[in-house]
Amino acid sequence: MARYVFITGGVVSSLGKGLASAALGALLQARGFSVRLRKLDPYLNVDPGTMSPFEHGEVFVTDDGAETDLDLGHYERFTGVHARKTDSISSGRIYSNVLEKERRGDYLGKTIQVIPHVTNEIKDFIRIGDDEVDFMLCEIGGTVGDIEGLPFFEAIRQFAQERPRGQCIFMHLTLLPFLAASGELKTKPTQHSVKELRSIGLQPDVLVCRSEHPIPEKERAKIALFCNVRPDSVIPAYDLNSIYEAPLAYHRAGLDQAVLDAFGISPAPKPNLDRWEDVMDRLTHAEGEVRVAIVGKYTQLEDAYKSIAEALTHGGMANRTRVKAEWIDAEIFEREDPAPWLENFHAILVPGGFGERGTEGKIKAAQFAREKQIPYLGICLGMQMAVIEAARNLAGVTRAGSEEFDHEKGEKRFEPVVYHLKEWVQGNHMVSRKASDDKGGTMRLGAYTAHLKAGSRVAGVYGATEIEERHRHRYEVDIKYREKLETCGLIFSGMSPDGRLPEIVEWKDHPWFIGVQFHPELKSKPFAPHPLFADFVRAAKEVERLV
């Protein structure tokens, strides 16, 4: 039976609960325990799949096809444990499940209420898989005091009461603001946050206090006294140069020991932190730097491309090279020549996205990379734009475009080199979709197999001819243009097992130009960089040496 750590936040949002949860998971692994991390989000969306990246950052996709919160990306990157559909839930999904049961008559005519029906649904979700691991870490989204979070707080209160004593603890993150005028760290917001938590029946066992300044022992003792926690369970959390320093920093602060003490696990196994010491050594002792241009449409919010930014960092670690990623709005290239913007970069990456805005700029970025022989990695839409560029400028398909853009405008303007995917094979059955279907959860989602062409660059990068990668898209490159494009030198080097769906393209006579329909960034980790990103940075490093 798993032990549970429930992670909550107070005072303000964006304190780093996801990162703290991920780091704690990594530290428990370092002590020999198995872990699984889980996110409970109070918003009423069923999942973040249809939410704007400006609202919520990127959507992280699991192998089994769940569209989830970006914190699950942190969980995977820090622990290496592949997330599942059952590791992410929202109020929208909980209420949807309850209402579906009510319509079926599962509640036998009873009046449906938040307590017990909604809270029971949450508890049922929390219990899934608790016999598989030693520790289950459950992060509650939002901030204590938010009205939409109350059912989750009540559910974890009930859950802890129903488990054997000592099977659940509560970890609470707060902020200690610093008043420059008086030169003081203020503990009162933390006291009020814990008071709010205790008023709904939750007593934190561990307090993690974010601060930009050192927390004196006097202040830690004061927090412990007024918040009813042990002094050694008040854990300072300072700003770091890299998120990958978090496991080592939290270990030095005593977080993992405080958690094990709260469970009464003594003597605690000694941690093996070699993995994280190696990660930090590679990060802090880089030899040289490469500049990578990320040409996208959500560049105002870097969290929209969180996994890509981290995967580039991992690729740098693999090459002991610092990667300086710079974000460029693709729309700029629809007004200006891309050359002055891109000529000083060692590589270009065009990420995924939805809608027509900025796509002509992405096409110009792909053209610049092809013509100037600069390493290029196109991901999802970035691959499709590279194919459209080749079709327009080399294959004679002058009106080449995507059916997505015609659907958006409601008129036929392009010859659809990229079309709306209406059916595909998933496992051993056929999936069908229409353009008029609901947007949520209707894409080609999750892990799919691809067969790589023997002798291709990408087969060399992977060191294999069969791979499995995660997808999130509803438009595909049309296979009927393959012959025309390959005649021009654009090789279809990766295909779906049935040979119908292009997964990877690459230019035959180019130092490094690869487009992929899937999202390799989702599987990259600091201690296991994704081979595509590792080789992409290596290629950029070769350019840097030539400059």
Side-chain angles (χ1 to χ4, degrees):
M1 183 182 293
R3 294 179 173 92
Y4 281 82
V5 182
F6 293 104
I7 300 105
T8 58
V11 183
V12 296
S13 60
S14 301
L15 282 179
K17 292 196 305 296
L19 182 59
S21 303
L24 176 58
L27 290 173
L28 292 172
Q29 283 183 325
R31 291 180 180 267
F33 297 107
S34 59
V35 300
R36 178 162 288 283
L37 289 95
R38 196 156 272 174
K39 181 72 183 286
L40 289 71
D41 268 312
Y43 53 70
L44 282 172
N45 305 69
V46 172
D47 59 42
T50 58
M51 294 170 73
S52 166
F54 294 120
E55 287 275 330
H56 198 261
E58 78 168 4
V59 174
F60 189 81
V61 179
T62 61
D63 280 339
D64 56 2
E67 295 176 288
T68 72
D69 184 85
L70 62 80
D71 276 331
L72 270 74
H74 285 315
Y75 302 164
E76 279 205 20
R77 282 188 285 273
F78 277 72
T79 67
V81 177
H82 285 192
R84 303 188 295 222
K85 286 182 178 180
T86 51
D87 292 329
S88 178
I89 199 73
S90 68
S91 287
R93 174 60 67 191
I94 291 293
Y95 280 100
S96 177
N97 290 351
V98 169
L99 293 174
E100 286 173 9
K101 290 181 178 180
E102 188 272 334
R103 292 290 83 187
R104 288 198 306 263
D106 292 2
Y107 296 120
L108 302 176
K110 291 182 179 178
T111 302
I112 309 306
Q113 298 175 288
V114 172
I115 303 171
H117 301 100
V118 171
T119 52
N120 283 349
E121 191 72 22
I122 295 170
K123 289 186 290 183
D124 288 344
F125 165 78
I126 292 171
R127 290 189 190 95
I128 296 171
D130 76 348
D131 58 345
E132 300 174 0
V133 294
D134 299 317
F135 285 93
M136 193 77 78
L137 278 58
C138 297
E139 176 194 348
I140 315 300
T143 306
V144 62
D146 295 344
I147 191 169
E148 61 264 30
L150 287 174
F152 288 96
F153 290 117
E154 172 60 18
I156 63 175
R157 184 198 68 76
Q158 294 178 16
F159 187 89
Q161 289 296 316
E162 293 164 3
R163 304 290 282 195
R165 190 177 297 276
Q167 290 295 117
C168 300
I169 69 165
F170 299 95
M171 183 171 111
H172 191 56
L173 272 76
T174 69
L175 175 69
L176 298 185
F178 180 79
L179 294 186
S182 61
E184 290 180 305
L185 278 174
K186 306 306 291 185
T187 66
K188 193 64 72 176
T190 292
Q191 295 176 42
H192 278 289
S193 181
V194 172
K195 180 182 178 183
E196 178 75 22
L197 201 61
R198 293 173 71 185
S199 73
I200 54 178
L202 301 177
Q203 166 63 50
D205 300 280
V206 178
L207 274 179
V208 178
C209 300
R210 282 294 303 271
S211 174
E212 296 177 348
H213 297 268
I215 305 173
E217 285 301 318
K218 175 184 171 185
E219 301 304 318
R220 289 181 66 180
K222 181 179 179 181
I223 292 168
L225 177 65
F226 283 93
C227 296
N228 194 34
V229 298
R230 294 177 180 276
D232 56 4
S233 292
V234 178
I235 309 298
Y238 304 124
D239 294 348
L240 304 172
N241 293 324
S242 167
I243 62 171
Y244 298 114
E245 191 181 350
L248 297 176
Y250 273 124
H251 175 68
R252 290 192 296 269
L255 175 62
D256 47 332
Q257 188 63 57
V259 167
L260 294 175
D261 287 346
F263 281 113
I265 299 175
S266 181
K270 291 184 178 180
N272 180 352
L273 297 170
D274 291 349
R275 167 186 280 182
W276 292 102
E277 287 167 355
D278 179 64
V279 164
M280 287 308 300
D281 179 65
R282 289 177 175 275
L283 196 60
T284 56
H285 295 91
E287 301 164 3
E289 178 179 277
V290 296
R291 297 179 68 215
V292 177
I294 302 177
V295 182
K297 63 184 292 186
Y298 310 118
T299 53
Q300 299 96 318
L301 181 67
E302 289 188 19
D303 271 358
Y305 300 116
K306 187 64 177 175
S307 290
I308 285 176
E310 298 308 323
L312 283 170
T313 300
H314 307 160
M317 290 178 188
N319 292 276
R320 284 196 177 271
T321 300
R322 185 174 296 105
V323 177
K324 186 178 181 182
E326 298 185 31
W327 312 85
I328 301 176
D329 189 337
E331 288 186 278
I332 292 172
F333 300 158
E334 297 178 357
R335 304 184 300 270
E336 301 179 28
D337 179 8
W341 291 83
L342 297 176
E343 59 190 5
N344 293 321
F345 286 96
H346 304 117
I348 297 169
L349 189 153
V350 176
F354 296 90
E356 188 175 4
R357 183 174 64 83
T359 53
E360 292 298 324
K362 293 183 177 185
I363 290 169
K364 287 186 178 180
Q367 181 180 1
F368 182 86
R370 175 179 62 81
E371 293 177 345
K372 301 299 183 182
Q373 300 283 286
I374 296 174
Y376 175 93
L377 176 58
I379 295 175
C380 197
L381 186 65
M383 168 186 159
Q384 295 172 6
M385 297 304 98
V387 171
I388 290 173
E389 188 276 321
R392 287 182 184 179
N393 297 323
L394 298 174
V397 189
T398 56
R399 291 178 52 250
S402 172
E403 202 173 17
E404 178 179 8
F405 311 151
D406 281 343
H407 286 162
E408 190 174 313
K409 296 288 186 182
E411 56 183 297
K412 187 170 176 58
R413 296 168 295 152
F414 299 108
E415 182 173 344
V417 171
V418 176
Y419 72 104
H420 183 268
L421 185 62
K422 296 176 178 63
E423 61 178 28
W424 65 91
V425 176
Q426 182 175 26
N428 57 6
H429 69 281
M430 186 69 72
V431 180
S432 298
R433 291 286 186 267
K434 300 190 297 291
S436 59
D437 285 347
D438 289 345
K439 299 302 182 189
T442 59
M443 288 182 277
R444 187 176 177 221
L445 290 166
Y448 287 84
T449 300
H451 291 166
L452 310 186
K453 185 176 182 179
S456 64
R457 175 181 293 279
V458 76
V461 169
Y462 276 96
T465 55
E466 183 173 299
I467 60 171
E468 190 174 88
E469 293 283 3
R470 297 177 190 175
H471 294 65
R472 183 177 182 252
H473 59 96
R474 56 172 57 89
Y475 292 86
E476 291 270 0
V477 172
D478 197 331
I479 192 65
K480 75 179 184 182
Y481 294 92
R482 177 176 183 172
E483 184 178 349
K484 190 174 285 191
L485 289 164
E486 289 199 324
T487 300
C488 300
L490 185 65
I491 307 303
F492 284 55
S493 54
M495 299 293 297
S496 61
D498 61 5
R500 297 174 59 197
L501 304 177
E503 294 277 11
I504 307 172
V505 297
E506 59 184 67
W507 278 107
K508 182 170 61 175
D509 298 320
H510 192 286
W512 207 100
F513 191 113
I514 294 174
V516 298
Q517 184 58 72
F518 46 81
H519 289 271
E521 70 274 17
L522 299 178
K523 295 180 74 170
S524 188
K525 302 167 185 65
F527 44 82
H530 192 284
L532 275 174
F533 281 89
D535 206 59
F536 179 57
V537 173
R538 180 203 58 76
K541 197 173 180 180
E542 291 297 318
V543 172
E544 187 267 339
R545 286 175 182 154
L546 295 173
V547 173

